Amino acid sequence: MAELGTTKEGFWQTRYSVIAMCFAATFVCYIDRVNISVAIIPMANDYNWSLETQGYILSSFYIGYLLMQIGGGRLADTFGGKVVLGVGVLIWSLFTLVTPWAAMGGLMMLYLARIGMGLGEAVTFPSVYSLVTRWFPAGETGKAIALNASAIPVGTVFALVVTPIIVTTLGWEWAFYLFGLVGILWFAAWQYLVAAKPQDHPRISAAELEFIKTNARFSEEREGEEAPPIRTFLKSKAVWAILVAHFCNNWTLYVILSWLPKYVNEGLGVPFGDIGYVAMLPHITSFLFINLAGNVADRMIVSGMNVTLVRKICQTVAFGGLAACLLLVTTVDTVWAAIGILCLGKMFSAANMGGFNVNHMDVAPRHAGTLMGITNTAGTIPGIVGVAVTGLILEYTGSWDLVFQVTAGVTLFGMVFYLLFASGEKEFD
């Protein structure tokens, strides 16, 4: 294997532009997904929605997101992540733009708009995984996936801070109009800067192209071969380990994404105008430690450590530390104590960048997009169930402690299951 990083003169490689644009797509994905978590507070006042109804509105997005995961992965592996992700961004940006009109048309119209937005966003991560497995060798995939994933907290923080400003100055409708336009601008840059495969890029250097080919995870001659049937993937214990970890991780992720502004506002008593500044802190922590975790995991593997061991260590740190923090937050009642503990939980959970998050590329490198679609289907269920259940818990008990306790239990189950069944060996080629 050629030495990583020795591809051509200068620091910037073409593959860095690819992952930078993937980062930008994920950023747009999350500003469009998170803005409603803040905007729903004035929307609920305007339309007199109950907490239960707000939970259904927030969770309806994930119905569309769930339905297109596997299809998005197969499309990306077959036709290329560039085309599939580009179309996806245009679709979800359109539905973001029409959200205010849908809300005026009634709950059913709003549910349909949220489901349509979910269909567009569903192709994001399968497309990114399909691109990364073709553009990056094994010793760089942890860093690449971590960088892309770090756009989640960046986009979340941006939406949490900027949405209240837009809402208070222009009205909540403009949070959807302005954010929807961002995706259109991204699409123009995407067409120029990115190709589905290195050999298709018009500006890649011969040295970098040769480096990528030499260190590729699978032979170029096998590109385009159909992925195994889903039932074949589901016979693998290693796939189930990723799938269950993905479900448990996303239970926490989606509950916090959807309900943290409400918790900060009503549970901790922070005024609406200050919600974004308080709620952004756990996400900033996540951004800082996600990239560190991806680099550490890659270094452990390059140093010769067993891949399976690396994945299990990282995932145990992630889930064990997060669960402890979720339980601890129920014992405090001040704003900064609660937010500080949630930040600590985000620091621990960042370690999953070296665990299940990149494990797809170990198990099925040529079909990483398809496998990501399969496991992210399971990972989307908490967006529907977890977000809605949280709304029901708050509606009928008013207990934020119970929300955090349930989330901690789900996380601990994921840790044990992954430790028992995960593998870093290639099972599908």
Side-chain angles (χ1 to χ4, degrees), residues 71-94:
R74 288 195 178 275
L75 287 171
D77 283 341
T78 303
F79 299 105
K82 176 182 178 178
V83 172
V84 177
L85 183 54
V87 171
V89 174
L90 287 179
I91 290 173
W92 90 58
S93 297
L94 174 63

Side-chain angles (χ1 to χ4, degrees), residues 53-201:
T53 298
Q54 292 174 56
Y56 293 145
I57 292 168
L58 292 171
S59 64
S60 61
F61 163 90
Y62 296 100
I63 297 173
Y65 197 71
L66 174 75
L67 292 174
M68 195 58 189
Q69 285 296 324
I70 296 175
R74 288 195 178 275
L75 287 171
D77 283 341
T78 303
F79 299 105
K82 176 182 178 178
V83 172
V84 177
L85 183 54
V87 171
V89 174
L90 287 179
I91 290 173
W92 90 58
S93 297
L94 174 63
F95 280 107
T96 300
L97 285 166
V98 303
T99 297
W101 294 305
M104 287 188 289
L107 282 173
M108 186 54 64
M109 290 296 294
L110 182 56
Y111 290 147
L112 290 174
R114 296 288 295 164
I115 291 170
M117 185 180 168
L119 287 170
E121 289 203 7
V123 305
T124 305
F125 292 101
S127 296
V128 170
Y129 273 58
S130 183
L131 284 162
V132 168
T133 199
R134 285 157 176 78
W135 276 91
F136 290 84
E140 294 183 353
T141 51
K143 292 188 286 287
I145 292 299
L147 177 63
N148 180 74
S150 68
I152 297 174
V154 173
T156 301
V157 167
F158 184 90
L160 289 173
V161 173
V162 174
T163 303
I165 296 172
I166 295 173
V167 169
T168 54
T169 56
L170 299 174
W172 61 261
E173 296 88 349
W174 282 93
F176 299 99
Y177 298 150
L178 295 176
F179 286 3
L181 289 173
V182 175
I184 309 300
L185 298 175
W186 171 91
F187 181 78
W190 180 253
Q191 297 307 304
Y192 177 74
L193 291 171
V194 174
K197 296 177 286 188
Q199 58 268 33
D200 295 339
H201 201 290

Side-chain angles (χ1 to χ4, degrees), residues 371-392:
L371 182 54
M372 179 59 175
I374 293 170
T375 70
N376 208 24
T377 298
T380 303
I381 294 172
I384 302 170
V385 178
V387 174
V389 164
T390 300
L392 290 171

Side-chain angles (χ1 to χ4, degrees), residues 251-290:
W251 186 286
T252 305
L253 174 66
Y254 291 143
V255 167
I256 288 180
L257 280 177
S258 298
W259 288 104
L260 184 59
K262 196 84 171 179
Y263 171 64
V264 170
N265 181 220
E266 297 182 2
L268 299 178
V270 175
F272 178 79
D274 297 327
I275 289 173
Y277 299 105
V278 176
M280 74 178 183
L281 296 175
H283 301 295
I284 291 175
T285 304
S286 185
F287 169 75
L288 295 174
F289 284 93
I290 278 175

